Amino acid sequence: MENQPVLYGITTCDTVRKARRWLEGEGIAYRYHDLRKDGLRADDLTVWMRSVGWEALLNRAGTTFRKLPDAEKQIANEAQALAVMLAHPTVIKRPVLVQGERVTLGFKLPVYEALFAQG
């Protein structure tokens, strides 16, 4: 189904688990894409960055980012962010929910309720 939302994340992330539980509990059909197992395309990442901004997409507080070498942490623009996120997809704020042209970061219950109330 082309209009089916896609939830991008990693299975060990608590926030991704909460989003998946909520979607399933509401009976909302979606496709899950594991960033570790299924990988990440530069085209998708570029669309996300243009939609929400690379600064919002980059999770500087996460374990993966903190473990990066100092040189890789010095991200000053979209091209550098793209390179780091492609090399280390777990530095992306999760989950990423893509519904057509709309990209939503993280899981906040009121946001998800509003997104799916329109359907």
Side-chain angles (χ1 to χ4, degrees):
M1 177 185 261
E2 188 155 325
N3 292 334
Q4 187 177 55
V6 180
L7 188 75
Y8 293 83
I10 59 173
T11 55
T12 56
C13 176
D14 287 338
T15 309
V16 171
R17 285 190 207 133
K18 288 176 190 173
R20 293 182 77 180
R21 265 196 305 272
W22 185 85
L23 289 167
E24 290 160 9
E26 295 297 312
I28 297 168
Y30 70 97
R31 184 170 64 82
Y32 179 65
H33 183 103
D34 188 305
L35 293 170
R36 279 194 182 125
K37 294 177 185 163
D38 303 323
L40 179 62
R41 295 182 12 201
D43 291 351
D44 290 335
L45 188 53
T46 299
V47 168
W48 302 349
M49 287 194 299
R50 299 255 160 85
S51 178
V52 300
W54 68 265
E55 298 93 340
L57 198 56
L58 182 66
N59 181 7
R60 294 178 189 266
T63 305
T64 303
F65 187 84
R66 289 194 310 264
K67 289 182 178 179
L68 290 177
D70 287 341
E72 275 191 273
K73 292 180 186 178
Q74 305 308 314
I75 300 168
N77 59 48
E78 186 176 289
Q80 291 173 340
L82 178 70
V84 170
M85 287 186 240
L86 285 173
H88 310 280
T90 56
V91 301
I92 295 170
K93 182 174 171 102
R94 304 175 297 267
V96 177
L97 178 69
V98 178
Q99 299 167 277
E101 300 293 314
R102 180 183 289 146
V103 177
T104 306
L105 290 181
F107 174 70
K108 299 254 189 289
L109 185 57
V111 173
Y112 270 51
E113 286 173 339
L115 287 173
F116 292 101
Q118 301 161 5

